[in-house]
Amino acid sequence: MGFWSTVSTISLLWFCYQSLPLQNKHRIWKTMVFTMIAVDVGLGSLTMIFQKVDYMFISAPASLLVCTLLSIRCAWDRYSPAIYLILGWSIFFLGVLASLISLKSGEFNILSYGMVFGFALEICFFSFALGEKVRLAERQAIEANVHAFEQLKKVFYPHQIQQIKAGRELETTMPTGKAKACVLCFDIIESSNIAIPYRDRFLEAGIKRCVKIMDQGYDASQLTARAYRIKEMGDGFLCSVGFPFETGEELGIPSSAVTLAEDFIREFQAHVDEHDLSDQVFCSIGIAFGVIEGRYPVTGAVEYDVYGPAVISANRYERVRKDLFSAKNDCHILTIQDKVYDELSDEQQKEFECLNVETLNYSIHGDRRAKLLYWLERRPSGLKRNQAS
C-alpha cells in the first residue's frame, strides 16, 4: 500500500508542477513541490519498512493541499487553466478526506465512495484545464505570428509576406538578375545647416512623403510600382525606376523617372511650406540610366540588394550640383545623364538646359565618357503656381 500511495501522490505533485507556468517568481512553490516529493518518498519508505505509519492519512491530503494552493497562486497571476485545476484539486481533496474519515471510523457508508467520486470529477475538471491550456497556447501562438508578420511588414513588401505565408522561400519573392533601369539619388541640400530644433524629425518626415510617392501604383500580383527604394542615406535616399518593379506606365523608364523626380520636388516643397521654411530648404536629385542587378547574398543575413553602375552614376550626377551649381542655393536642382535626356519626350526635353562639361574641363567621376549633362531648376514660387493651378 505504501509503495502505490507514494507513486500516486508523487504523480499528483508532478502533474501540478508540469501543468502550471512556474516562473522564477514562483521559486518558493517549486521548492515546496520538490520538498513534498521528498517527504512522500520518505514516508512511503517508512510505511514499507515498519508497516506502522499510516502514510495515506498524512501524505495524500498534504500533497493535494499543496497542489490546490499552488493552483490558487497561479490563478492569482491570471493563468486561466489554474481555475479548473483549483476546482479539480479541491474536489479530489474533499473526496480523499471523506474516504479517510470513513476508513478511520470503520463504517462503510456513502463517504467511503468520496475518493472515487472526487477522482472522477477531478478528471473532468482536469480535461477542462487541459482544453483551456491548449486554447490559450493556440491563441498565444496566433498572436505571436500576427505580431511577427506585422513587424515583417516594416521590412518586406506585402507580396513577399503573402508568398512567405504560402510557403515560398524568401529568396524567390523578389526579382533577381540584371535589367536596365533609372536610378534617382535624392539629397536635401546642406541639411546639416538647417537651424531648427526638430531638424531630424523634419528631414525624416520629408523623406517619408517621398517614399509614399514611390509606393503609388504598387500591385502585389503584377509587381508594379512607381519606384523601388534601394536605401536611405541620412538626409536622402536612392531609388530605382523600372526594376525590380515595373512602372506599369506607358511612358518609357527615363520619362517615368523624370516625372517621379518632379513629383518628389513638389511634395518636398509642400512639406517645407507646411513648416514655414519656404525659400530656405531645397533638394537636389540626380538621375542615371543603366544596368542594375538585384540579388540576395549567399552568406550572412538574407537581405535583398540592388546595385550596379547606374546606382553609382546617380550618386555622381547628384554631386555635380556641388561642383557646378553651388551658386544656385535658392532653388531645387535636377541633374540628369545624357542617356536619360535622349529617351525623354520633346516636351520634357524642353524643360532642361544643356551643359557641356568638356568645355569646362570637368569630368563626371564614374562616367568620364560623358560630354554633356542636362539640368533644370525649380523655384518655390513656380511650384506654388503649379500647385494652385
Side-chain angles (χ1 to χ4, degrees):
M1 177 66 71
F3 172 77
W4 293 112
S5 297
T6 301
V7 172
S8 61
T9 51
I10 290 176
S11 299
L12 291 175
L13 288 166
W14 190 250
F15 175 83
C16 187
Y17 178 78
Q18 291 293 330
S19 301
L20 297 173
L22 300 179
Q23 308 299 330
N24 290 333
K25 61 182 178 180
H26 298 121
R27 189 175 301 167
I28 186 173
W29 293 101
K30 289 183 178 181
T31 304
M32 187 175 295
V33 169
F34 288 114
T35 300
M36 282 301 304
I37 291 175
V39 171
D40 287 338
V41 172
L43 291 176
S45 300
L46 291 175
T47 301
M48 288 183 288
I49 295 172
F50 299 105
Q51 298 295 320
K52 292 181 179 180
V53 179
D54 196 345
Y55 167 69
M56 288 192 300
F57 284 97
I58 301 173
S59 179
S63 298
L64 289 171
L65 182 60
V66 169
C67 292
T68 303
L69 293 176
L70 183 55
S71 299
I72 292 173
R73 181 64 181 85
C74 290
W76 183 264
D77 291 338
R78 298 184 179 181
Y79 182 65
S80 55
I83 297 175
Y84 296 104
L85 291 177
I86 292 171
L87 294 173
W89 294 124
S90 300
I91 292 173
F92 191 37
F93 177 73
L94 294 175
V96 169
L97 283 181
S99 296
L100 292 177
I101 292 171
S102 174
L103 182 64
K104 195 70 174 177
S105 65
E107 297 180 2
F108 186 82
N109 49 40
I110 192 171
L111 294 179
S112 303
Y113 296 99
M115 183 179 294
V116 177
F117 290 126
F119 180 75
L121 291 174
E122 178 201 39
I123 294 300
C124 292
F125 282 108
F126 282 3
S127 298
F128 296 150
L130 181 60
E132 179 67 11
K133 183 178 181 180
V134 171
R135 187 190 67 83
L136 184 63
E138 183 179 4
R139 186 178 67 185
Q140 291 174 343
I142 292 174
E143 290 176 353
N145 285 336
V146 170
H147 174 72
F149 281 110
E150 285 296 325
Q151 296 305 306
L152 287 176
K153 288 180 181 179
K154 299 178 182 179
V155 182
F156 302 110
Y157 283 90
H159 78 272
Q160 292 181 279
I161 303 296
Q162 294 172 5
Q163 292 177 15
I164 291 172
K165 285 182 177 180
R168 291 184 59 177
E169 296 293 329
L170 173 61
E171 293 86 345
T172 65
T173 59
M174 287 293 289
T176 56
K178 297 181 179 180
K180 284 191 175 182
C182 277
V183 178
L184 286 73
C185 179
F186 178 97
D187 183 63
I188 299 174
I189 299 175
E190 296 183 355
S191 59
S192 59
N193 295 330
I194 300 175
I196 55 176
Y198 53 93
R199 183 181 69 90
D200 291 341
R201 295 198 305 273
F202 168 77
L203 297 177
E204 181 181 344
I207 292 175
K208 282 184 176 180
R209 292 177 70 150
C210 292
V211 171
K212 287 184 178 180
I213 297 177
M214 294 184 215
D215 292 337
Q216 291 175 355
Y218 170 74
D219 188 315
S221 60
Q222 301 296 324
L223 288 187
T224 59
R226 293 195 68 182
Y228 171 78
R229 180 181 63 84
I230 297 175
K231 66 177 179 180
E232 291 183 14
M233 302 180 297
D235 56 355
F237 59 84
L238 287 165
C239 68
S240 60
V241 177
F243 184 84
F245 294 145
E246 297 182 1
T247 62
E249 300 176 358
E250 294 182 0
L251 298 174
I253 292 176
S255 295
S256 298
V258 170
T259 302
L260 179 64
E262 294 265 32
D263 289 344
F264 284 161
I265 293 173
R266 278 190 289 269
E267 187 67 22
F268 185 72
Q269 181 62 47
H271 175 64
V272 169
D273 293 340
E274 291 174 4
H275 290 79
D276 297 324
L277 295 172
S278 182
D279 302 325
Q280 298 181 47
V281 181
F282 304 95
C283 68
S284 170
I285 302 176
I287 305 179
F289 185 45
V291 175
I292 61 175
E293 181 177 358
R295 67 183 291 272
Y296 287 94
V298 295
T299 59
V302 182
E303 182 179 1
Y304 186 70
D305 186 27
V306 172
Y307 66 98
V311 176
I312 299 172
S313 296
N315 202 345
R316 304 302 184 196
Y317 274 86
E318 190 283 319
R319 291 187 180 183
V320 166
R321 181 259 313 168
K322 297 180 180 179
D323 299 330
L324 303 181
F325 307 120
S326 58
K328 294 183 177 295
N329 54 9
D330 59 348
C331 62
H332 306 282
I333 301 291
L334 172 58
T335 308
I336 65 174
Q337 190 181 34
D338 56 356
K339 292 180 182 179
V340 178
Y341 179 85
D342 293 340
E343 298 290 332
L344 299 180
S345 65
D346 294 339
E347 184 177 354
Q348 287 178 311
Q349 288 181 347
K350 292 178 182 178
E351 298 286 331
F352 287 87
E353 296 185 37
C354 179
L355 184 64
N356 191 325
V357 295
E358 193 173 32
T359 59
L360 298 175
N361 197 25
Y362 178 84
S363 62
I364 301 172
H365 184 63
D367 192 10
R368 298 186 182 278
R369 60 133 201 101
K371 298 180 180 179
L372 303 175
L373 65 79
Y374 298 85
W375 66 281
L376 61 78
E377 62 181 43
R378 287 288 182 258
R379 298 185 178 276
S381 57
L383 292 172
K384 290 177 182 177
R385 286 198 298 271
N386 290 339
Q387 291 170 359
S389 61

